[in-house]
Amino acid sequence: MTPLFYLKTFGCQMNKHDSDSVSQILLNEGYRQSEIAEDAQIILINTCAVRKKAEDKALTLIGRLASLKQKNPDIIMGVLGCVAQNQGVDLLRRFPHLDLVIGPRNIHHIDKLKTRNRKEKNMVSCLDWTDNICLFPKYNGYLKGKVTCFLKVMEGCDNFCSYCIVPFVRGRETSLPATIILDRAHQLIREGIREIILIGQNVNSYNVKNKAKPSFAGLLRALDGISGLQRLRFTTSHPKDLSDELIGLFGELKTLCPHIHLPVQSGSDAVLRRMSRGYTVEHYMTLIEKLRTTRPDIAVSSDMIVGFPGETDEDFQESLSLVDELRFDNLFSFRYSDRRGTKATGFPNKVGEREKQERLSLLQERQARITLAKNKSLEGTVQTVLVEGPAKHGGEQRSGRTGGNKVVNFASNTSLTGALVRIKVIKGFQNSLFGEFSGPESHSVE
Ligand code: SF4
């Protein structure tokens, strides 16, 4: 009988990409994926340590899975990702039902499962620092029916923002050679992918540290020239590394979508300084102005942290004012939480949990109004949409995204998956748009 694996992923797009890589390795090894943990012989949890909430959720799930191991001691249970790296073998001690912990730089060692002698019941840890970046292994049908795909261009980060655990769990910044990235991109397009999303912790410092060519802008130019690629996106960018050359590409490259995710984190210079972000509010606002001048229809999303140690009411009001002024299309906002080993953990004047929650609610309410108004402002416009497949809520609705990364649902009794179509927006909602098909922009790939 074909063995089944179950893989639960917490956290960011980097983690989702890593989970895709793990799934592909296991599929290549002859396993099949199951959506139900109880059915699986291998249970893996890919964890995120960036925020306490995500870490707590993962640890709770790991604890709950002990009962499955009690019922069937032959099940292999593993923890992957940033919590695995951060807590290491302590996790194996705390949760004796675990068989392995594997850090993000070592996830390609998941194939150790095959050689592991189950009878010996050895615990395995793969936590060494390595410059290897785990990539998608050879294609095995995993991408069938998919239109959009992540492509990792770098791993790790050297910035050491004072609140962030990433440099400690994903290691120092390592850029992948452009030849590998371009080969992968060609391969993805041959497999039917139409939109590539370049990912890394700080993509716009690609190749800066190792003084190699091309720059990130050069990499985008090379990818833009690949026949069959319809859309190119990238995430995440750091404001201190966003060059004028890169901004200019939004007005130049035909495949580069008019969307940028540019985390600002706070509207207060004093807080940004303590966060060690390396830019001021004024600099950030100048960047947004340049982006909007270059590409007036560009959608901008951002991240903000509330309740950073020492954040005063005035600091928080400055964050609210920045949100009012810049009117992001979307904002991902979070309460600050101490992360072991980071500088900010030792900072004085911690903000109370109630205060943090109140600030978060205020910020989210403010942004929700802006997001809704922005979505409503698109009513009556015609948007080019890349169709990704059936809409989540089923029926005969299809779903895709605008260049500005907004989800659009529309009725259609044909698949259209992989096609660029024109959709007239009828209604703007909080999290999506609803529209009607008004013609093809290109042919479906099916
Ligand atoms: S740039 Fe700062 S916040 Fe982003 S991953 Fe690096 S250290 Fe973390």
Side-chain angles (χ1 to χ4, degrees), residues 153 175-182 203 205-223 243 245:
V153 299
S175 297
L176 251 105
T179 46
I180 293 181
I181 296 166
L182 289 166
V203 288
S205 64
Y206 173 77
N207 265 348
V208 170
K209 177 166 111 176
N210 50 355
K211 298 187 177 73
K213 291 275 179 217
S215 64
F216 188 59
L219 180 67
L220 290 175
R221 279 203 178 89
L223 288 160
S243 66
E245 185 189 12

Side-chain angles (χ1 to χ4, degrees), residues 423-435:
I423 301 293
K424 184 172 179 194
V425 179
I426 306 296
K427 191 95 186 131
F429 299 108
Q430 190 65 56
N431 298 315
S432 64
L433 308 172
F434 180 74

Side-chain angles (χ1 to χ4, degrees), residues 157-161 163-167 201-202 238 265 277:
C157 184
D158 288 354
N159 283 319
F160 289 91
C161 299
Y163 54 84
C164 183
I165 200 165
V166 165
Q201 250 76 39
N202 189 12
H238 195 302
Q265 306 299 10
R277 289 290 287 172

Side-chain angles (χ1 to χ4, degrees), residues 32-143:
R32 269 195 311 121
Q33 192 152 10
S34 167
E35 297 301 316
I36 302 162
E38 284 75 3
D39 291 348
Q41 289 78 51
I42 297 170
I43 297 177
L44 301 170
I45 313 297
N46 193 6
T47 55
C48 173
V50 169
R51 270 171 279 280
K52 187 173 182 302
K53 199 171 161 189
E55 181 171 326
D56 288 348
K57 272 188 187 171
L59 293 174
T60 304
L61 176 61
I62 294 164
R64 278 213 325 263
L65 290 170
S67 61
L68 291 183
K69 185 81 167 188
Q70 275 161 12
K71 277 188 218 146
N72 180 2
D74 284 337
I75 290 176
I76 295 174
M77 284 194 184
V79 179
L80 317 177
C82 297
V83 176
Q85 186 68 45
N86 201 27
Q87 300 200 12
V89 288
D90 284 352
L91 266 184
L92 297 174
R93 282 193 274 272
R94 180 172 165 193
F95 298 106
H97 59 286
L98 289 178
D99 298 286
L100 64 152
V101 289
I102 302 184
R105 292 263 175 155
N106 289 281
I107 53 170
H108 47 289
H109 290 313
I110 196 72
D111 59 1
K112 282 196 165 54
L113 283 172
K114 206 176 158 192
T115 48
R116 183 175 171 274
N117 182 344
R118 289 190 196 190
K119 295 238 163 50
E120 286 174 10
K121 302 274 191 301
N122 289 333
M123 286 172 166
V124 175
S125 60
C126 294
L127 304 164
D128 297 341
W129 290 116
T130 155
D131 280 344
N132 294 335
I133 299 180
C134 184
L135 290 163
F136 276 91
K138 81 175 164 47
Y139 176 62
N140 49 23
Y142 188 76
L143 299 175

Side-chain angles (χ1 to χ4, degrees), residues 17 149-153 181 184-185 188 196-199 223:
H17 175 280
C149 184
F150 294 123
L151 177 53
K152 196 186 277 189
V153 299
I181 296 166
R184 293 282 175 180
L188 292 174
I196 290 177
I197 308 166
L198 305 179
I199 57 165
L223 288 160

